[in-house]
Amino acid sequence: MSWRIVYISEAEEMRLYLDNLKVIKDDQEILIPLSDIHSIVVDNQHTTVTGRLINKLSEYHILLIFCDETHNPNMFCLSLYSHYRIYGMLYKQYVEKNRTNKNL
């Protein structure tokens, strides 16, 4: 069962390596097993994501979210056969966040 939400704020590249997410930043490389990941949030405009990784993420039903310059979710990639409730939950969280921010 997947449980991690991976937040990428600074990375040069994300790629697939032996069913692991490989995050590359400068000379540092981090490996995270895909079986542990629920979602990946990419919060910068400079990270390169390979096509092989995107295909494998869809196979594991991992949600990939890209944020814009203001750090708001702008686009998400979800497999065609993934669970539909993820989108509904994201939408509810987004609406609730906006409602809370307006009340402050």
Side-chain angles (χ1 to χ4, degrees):
M1 183 169 93
S2 60
W3 53 276
R4 287 185 187 186
I5 297 175
V6 179
Y7 180 78
I8 307 292
S9 61
E10 296 178 7
E12 296 168 2
E13 186 176 5
M14 294 184 346
R15 63 174 41 189
L16 179 66
Y17 180 76
L18 301 175
D19 279 354
N20 291 291
L21 169 65
K22 185 178 195 178
V23 181
I24 302 168
K25 179 186 175 198
D26 300 325
D27 294 332
Q28 198 175 28
E29 295 180 355
I30 300 169
L31 293 175
I32 304 169
L34 291 179
S35 59
D36 289 351
I37 300 173
H38 178 270
S39 304
I40 301 172
V41 178
V42 181
D43 193 8
N44 68 54
Q45 305 295 308
H46 307 290
T47 301
T48 303
V49 182
T50 63
R52 285 185 56 210
L53 175 61
I54 291 173
N55 285 328
K56 193 57 90 166
L57 293 177
S58 96
E59 185 180 311
Y60 277 81
H61 305 291
I62 296 172
L63 178 63
L64 178 61
I65 302 172
F66 291 97
C67 297
D68 60 12
E69 297 85 16
T70 59
H71 309 288
N72 289 318
N74 191 29
M75 190 208 49
F76 65 91
C77 300
L78 186 61
S79 163
L80 291 176
Y81 304 109
S82 290
H83 206 278
Y84 69 92
R85 295 179 104 187
I86 291 175
Y87 172 73
M89 191 57 99
L90 286 172
Y91 181 75
K92 286 179 184 178
Q93 289 175 354
Y94 181 74
V95 168
E96 186 62 35
K97 179 184 172 202
N98 285 342
R99 190 177 331 154
T100 304
N101 287 343
K102 288 178 183 177
N103 290 337
L104 294 178

